[in-house]
Amino acid sequence: MAEFKKNDNFFQNETEKIFNYLKNELNILRKTFFAIKKLIGSKPTQEKNLSELSDHFQRSKEEIDKSKTKLNEDIHSLENELSTVKYPFHKK
């Protein structure tokens, strides 16, 4: 009889361990599912943010290109002006 109680207690303990393990796994799966659901839900917002950022970078690039062009024009204009200036300190 004592052997039967010992085995019964052993099986009950093992069953509880398995049940707790499965319960923990279910909690992990539930959290994973909610995380995936949240990521999927935020996808349109992330795509919109990336699109806006891309547009911003494109506008910035265009502004930089315009500024470079203007700078090159100004440099060329200054070089032309300097080529006409006679330096009083130039040695003859």
Side-chain angles (χ1 to χ4, degrees):
M1 187 75 170
E3 184 70 28
F4 177 72
K5 283 187 180 181
K6 191 175 185 182
N7 284 340
D8 188 39
N9 195 22
F10 171 77
F11 286 121
Q12 185 177 355
N13 287 342
E14 292 302 311
T15 303
E16 286 177 11
K17 284 180 189 177
I18 291 171
F19 176 74
N20 287 332
Y21 173 77
L22 291 174
K23 194 165 114 178
N24 287 337
E25 289 297 315
L26 180 64
N27 284 336
I28 291 170
L29 289 173
R30 186 178 297 130
K31 288 177 184 177
T32 303
F33 172 75
F34 286 123
I36 291 170
K37 187 176 174 183
K38 191 171 185 177
L39 286 172
I40 290 171
S42 69
K43 183 179 177 187
T45 303
Q46 295 300 324
E47 287 176 343
K48 180 180 171 241
N49 289 345
L50 285 173
S51 176
E52 289 175 358
L53 188 60
S54 176
D55 292 345
H56 175 73
F57 283 140
Q58 185 61 36
R59 286 192 304 274
S60 296
K61 183 182 181 300
E62 290 168 0
E63 288 296 319
I64 289 171
D65 289 343
K66 285 179 188 175
S67 296
K68 281 182 179 179
T69 301
K70 177 71 172 133
L71 181 62
N72 286 335
E73 290 172 356
D74 290 347
I75 289 172
H76 185 67
S77 174
L78 285 172
E79 287 174 344
N80 285 340
E81 277 188 47
L82 282 174
S83 68
T84 62
V85 172
K86 297 195 181 212
Y87 298 103
F89 53 84
H90 185 276
K91 292 182 180 179
K92 292 183 180 181

